[in-house]
Amino acid sequence: AQTVTQSQPEMSVQEAETVTLSCTYDTSESDYYLFWYKQPPSRQMILVIRQEAYKQQNATENRFSVNFQKAAKSFSLKISDSQLGDAAMYFCAYRSANYAGGTSYGKLTFGQGTILTVHP
Amino acid sequence: KAGVTQTPRYLIKTRGQQVTLSCSPISGHRSVSWYQQTPGQGLQFLFEYFSETQRNKGNFPGRFSGRQFSNSRSEMNVSTLELGDSALYLCASSAREREQFFGPGTRLTVL
């Protein structure tokens, strides 16, 4: 079974600065996907960024980027130029690469989450 | 394209009752998953459906069940509610994309 660990229960950052959230995972699979989801106080789970394990290049989405270290099973999220709207709970998640009938399937395994506070 | 919708958004029940939660996936998505979120246990996988078939099930008692209809809408049912079933229940759908797209959740309170 896969496990995901986020060792930082809480993090804080000043507005406009950079913060990095850590995530490690354990798996025996070679093909999988990793995600960072954001859950603001509204509780709506929002996808932030996705990384395919077979890709060596780190994913980037605007101010969000990841440092994917497959051998070390590490997947950190860097938020640059932090904004007040970035304040939320951030979850790292793992999903096996399964497909059938043109559809991906398989559960997401989540870490415990990191609460990010952004100070003005 | 409309997102994942869940109804009802809030629900209050008493111990021993049963409850049914509904989820409508994004149009064209045939895979629907359910998760339970609590402060103590975090996010836990309940079950996953694809084309009306349960493909995967989490480690929950038999009181938790679900189904998926031909239009991909899904329902989950919890019978004989316990206080510990109070949680946010999240539904997510996916298609060709690797990621799952989540609904706003149903907040269940058991008194």
Side-chain angles (χ1 to χ4, degrees):
Chain A
Q2 295 80 28
T3 59
V4 177
T5 302
Q6 293 177 248
S7 59
Q8 306 155 316
E10 297 183 35
M11 291 285 284
S12 65
V13 64
Q14 291 293 132
E15 197 175 5
E17 294 190 344
T18 296
V19 64
T20 299
L21 308 184
S22 300
C23 172
T24 58
Y25 59 95
D26 190 29
T27 184
S28 59
E29 299 175 332
S30 59
D31 197 13
Y32 50 87
Y33 303 103
L34 296 166
F35 307 92
W36 279 97
Y37 281 90
K38 165 186 175 182
Q39 189 178 44
S42 67
R43 310 309 295 274
Q44 174 75 56
M45 196 75 79
I46 302 165
L47 176 70
V48 175
I49 201 164
R50 175 191 76 203
Q51 175 77 45
E52 290 90 342
Y54 65 85
K55 289 186 177 178
Q56 293 186 340
Q57 187 173 7
N58 290 323
T60 299
E61 287 288 342
N62 300 314
R63 299 182 295 106
F64 299 87
S65 62
V66 299
N67 184 3
F68 173 50
Q69 301 290 326
K70 190 173 184 179
K73 295 180 182 175
S74 170
F75 182 61
S76 61
L77 174 70
K78 185 171 83 172
I79 306 174
S80 303
D81 185 25
S82 296
Q83 300 175 358
L84 295 177
D86 295 333
M89 174 84 90
Y90 285 80
F91 291 96
C92 177
Y94 175 104
R95 192 182 195 196
S96 299
N98 300 316
Y99 286 93
T103 296
S104 64
Y105 70 90
K107 67 177 182 180
L108 284 168
T109 300
F110 289 92
Q112 304 91 319
T114 297
I115 299 172
L116 178 65
T117 302
V118 181
H119 298 289
Chain B
K1 188 182 277 190
V4 178
T5 58
Q6 292 187 245
T7 56
R9 293 293 310 279
Y10 303 92
L11 207 48
I12 299 175
K13 292 286 187 179
T14 57
R15 279 180 298 175
Q17 287 187 311
Q18 75 165 21
V19 67
T20 299
L21 311 182
S22 180
C23 170
S24 293
I26 293 171
S27 177
H29 286 195
R30 294 192 292 165
S31 176
V32 174
S33 298
W34 289 88
Y35 297 86
Q36 180 196 64
Q37 185 176 22
T38 60
Q41 299 298 316
L43 281 151
Q44 293 187 289
F45 170 75
L46 280 157
F47 21 66
E48 177 183 29
Y49 289 89
F50 175 68
S51 292
E52 302 178 66
T53 301
Q54 186 179 87
R55 190 181 288 279
N56 207 354
K57 189 178 193 305
N59 187 26
F60 278 82
R63 300 185 296 106
F64 291 81
S65 63
R67 58 178 175 169
Q68 187 180 32
F69 302 94
S70 59
N71 61 359
S72 294
R73 189 178 70 85
S74 177
E75 289 182 347
M76 66 163 282
N77 184 77
V78 187
S79 62
T80 319
L81 283 165
E82 299 178 359
L83 296 178
D85 296 334
S86 294
L88 179 68
Y89 289 88
L90 292 166
C91 168
S93 72
S94 62
R96 293 184 60 83
E97 301 86 355
R98 290 70 167 171
E99 58 270 27
Q100 294 184 351
F101 297 90
F102 285 81
T106 294
R107 167 76 66 187
L108 172 65
T109 302
V110 182
L111 302 176

